[in-house]
C-alpha cells in the first residue's frame, strides 16, 4: 500500500526510485509495462520512461541524479536517448553538465546543440556546456529586444532589394511575355505605383542621408 501510494503521488524528483521499484516488480512478479501502468494509475509511457532511466543510464549518471546535480526529468528526456545511442557520450555529457545544476530547459538547449554538432563541436560542448546556455540566452534576449530604427530600416531596405532582384529574375526568364493582356495591364498598374513609391524613397532618403553628413550636423531637421 505504501508503495502504491508513492507510485501514484510521486513526481519527477524520485523518478529514479520509482524506476527501481518498477523494475523489481517487473522482474520479480513478471508484470508487463501495461500491467504496471494500470496498477499505479499511470500511462505506459510513464512506466517506460522510469524503467529506461534505471536500465539504460550508466551508474555514473545515476549518481548525478541521486545527488540532485541532474534532474530526473532531464535525465529521462535527454540523457536516456543519448546513452541509448552511445553510452560513452551520455556519460561524458552528464559529467560535463552535472556541476552546473542545469534546469530541464537548459538541458534541452545543450542536448539540441549536441545533436546538431560534429565531433569537434561536441568536444567544445563537453569542455564548457555553460557557454552553450549563455550563448542561447543572449541570442534570445537580442531577439526579444526591439529593433532600433537603423536595424528596422536596414531590414526593410534588404527586403526591398531582394524583392526587386526576384522580380528582375522573373522578367529575365521571359515571364512577362507569357502573360495575358489583362494580366499585363494589372502588372503595369502595380509597377507604376511601386515605381512612384521607390522614386519618392530615393529622393527623400538621399536627402536625409546627405543632410546627416557631419557638415550638416548642426542643422535643425524640422527646417528641412
Amino acid at each position: 500500500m505504501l508503495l502504491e501510494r508513492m507510485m501514484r503521488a510521486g513526481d519527477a524528483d524520485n523518478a529514479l526510485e520509482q524506476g527501481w521499484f518498477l523494475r523489481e516488480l517487473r522482474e520479480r512478479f513478471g508484470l508487463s509495462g501495461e500491467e504496471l501502468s494500470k496498477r499505479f494509475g499511470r500511462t505506459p509511457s510513464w512506466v517506460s520512461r522510469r524503467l529506461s532511466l534505471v536500465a539504460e543510464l550508466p551508474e555514473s549518471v545515476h549518481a548525478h541524479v541521486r545527488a540532485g546535480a541532474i534532474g530526473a526529468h532531464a535525465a529521462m528526456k535527454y540523457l536516456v536517448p543519448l546513452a541509448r545511442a552511445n553510452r560513452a557520450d551520455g556519460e561524458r555529457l552528464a559529467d560535463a553538465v552535472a556541476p552546473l545544476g542545469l534546469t530541464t530547459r537548459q538541458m534541452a538547449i545543450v542536448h539540441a546543440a549536441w545533436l546538431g554538432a560534429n565531433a569537434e563541436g561536441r568536444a567544445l560542448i563537453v569542455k564548457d556546456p555553460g557557454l552553450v546556455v549563455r550563448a542561447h540566452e543572449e541570442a534570445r534576449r537580442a531577439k526579444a529586444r526591439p529593433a532600433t530604427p537603423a536595424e528596422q530600416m536596414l531590414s526593410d531596405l534588404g527586403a526591398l532589394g531582394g524583392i526587386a532582384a526576384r522580380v528582375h529574375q522573373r522578367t529575365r526568364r521571359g515571364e512577362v511575355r507569357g502573360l495575358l493582356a489583362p494580366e499585363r495591364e494589372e502588372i503595369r498598374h502595380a509597377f507604376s505605383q511601386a515605381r512612384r513609391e521607390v522614386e519618392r524613397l530615393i529622393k527623400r532618403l538621399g536627402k536625409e542621408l546627405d543632410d546627416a553628413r557631419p557638415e550638416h550636423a548642426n542643422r535643425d531637421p524640422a527646417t528641412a
Side-chain angles (χ1 to χ4, degrees), residues 106-122:
Q106 291 171 329
M107 190 64 205
I109 294 169
V110 174
H111 180 254
W114 178 275
L115 293 181
N118 55 21
E120 183 179 354
R122 290 178 177 179

Side-chain angles (χ1 to χ4, degrees), residues 156-179:
D156 289 343
L157 287 172
L160 179 63
I163 292 171
R166 190 161 63 246
V167 174
H168 182 247
Q169 288 298 321
R170 290 182 179 279
T171 60
R172 290 188 61 184
R173 292 196 296 265
E175 294 184 13
V176 174
R177 291 191 293 272
L179 298 175

